[in-house]
Amino acid sequence: MTAFIQLTDTHIVPEGQLAYGRSDTGAALVRAVESLRATLPQLDPVDCVVLTGDLTDHGTAEEYQRLRRILAPLPLPLLAIPGNHDSREAMRAAFADMDWIPASGPIHWHHDFGPFSLIALDTLVEGAPYGMICDRGLQFLDRTLNALGAQPVVVATHHPWILSGIAEMDRNNLRNGDRLCARLAAHPAPARVISGHLHRALSSLVDGILHQVAPAPCHAVHLDQRRQAVNSLTLEPGQATLYNWRGPLGGLVSNTINLEQHPGPWPFYPD
Ligand SMILES: [Fe+2]
Ligand SMILES: [Fe+2]
């Protein structure tokens, strides 16, 4: 079986600091790594971890080095795209040992899992909170989709295109996501978009394409859909998302993994 884990919006800050003055993102990621290491032996084999942006909070070399240090005990290859909190060049330098990272330009890549393909698109507009797929990204997407034929496809972007109802976040979504959707609607096999940025789990099926947004291991964006709501954060339990390929009938099944300590497991009917 084929599987990957999506970890998104880790927002690593320098050692000893808190993100937004409240969120100990380093400690949250340490807990995430410990939890995933404990969980992996119970799972079908997992191929890799995909980081879908906002790896760091300020995009500094120090933050990327800390991220790599914290993730090092995970016994899985890492793949990553940047988010609006990242710096493309600092990220490129921090992942220079990885064969998927391009030597220059946007950080787009393609990973063939066999039964499906993952196309990762860099949506970072340096200095802006919203996301865009650049012309090179759309060309990369076209080329890759053409080469896939009828293989199912998952596209990873940091910024989601679907609307959460959280006004400030929806203003800063994937602004040209319609161009991605048009291409995926023409793809002759199931297509899905997986994203981060909202630090919450939500999904919607639009024109036959599943859009899925993943929760974060640290803070969440507060679910407040009132029009005048102040954009706020909450410290909800950290989560990651597991994707398992279950064959043509099951497709790519997603499972949320809770990363915090919780009671159990115990048998349904203990003696
Ligand atoms: Fe984020
Ligand atoms: Fe973001």
Side-chain angles (χ1 to χ4, degrees), residues 172-245:
N172 293 315
N173 71 349
L174 181 58
R175 294 213 171 154
N176 62 347
D178 55 333
R179 301 183 70 180
L180 167 63
C181 296
R183 284 160 168 84
L184 293 181
H187 186 63
R192 171 190 319 220
V193 180
I194 61 169
S195 306
H197 190 53
L198 298 173
H199 299 220
R200 308 200 62 83
L202 55 145
S203 61
S204 182
L205 187 69
V206 185
D207 292 336
I209 299 160
L210 179 61
H211 295 259
Q212 188 167 356
V213 185
C218 48
H219 51 273
V221 177
H222 186 212
L223 182 59
D224 188 339
Q225 299 176 320
R226 293 173 294 182
R227 272 186 66 195
Q228 303 306 327
V230 175
N231 210 22
S232 305
L233 301 174
T234 59
L235 292 174
E236 296 175 41
Q239 295 178 321
T241 311
L242 169 70
Y243 299 85
N244 290 97
W245 179 255

Side-chain angles (χ1 to χ4, degrees), residues 101-114:
I101 198 153
S104 63
I107 299 172
H108 311 305
W109 47 262
H110 163 227
H111 187 85
D112 189 345
F113 282 88

Side-chain angles (χ1 to χ4, degrees), residues 122-169:
D122 178 340
T123 58
L124 167 62
V125 179
E126 299 256 14
Y130 61 86
M132 294 277 286
I133 304 169
C134 62
D135 288 344
R136 275 175 72 171
L138 291 170
Q139 290 160 12
F140 176 79
L141 177 65
D142 285 339
R143 272 199 317 277
T144 311
L145 286 175
N146 284 338
L148 296 186
Q151 190 186 34
V153 65
V154 179
V155 172
T157 60
H158 174 68
H159 297 83
W161 175 71
I162 56 170
L163 301 177
S164 64
I166 305 170
E168 182 68 21
M169 298 307 291

Side-chain angles (χ1 to χ4, degrees), residues 9 54 84 158 197:
D9 293 271
D54 288 356
N84 51 297
H158 174 68
H197 190 53

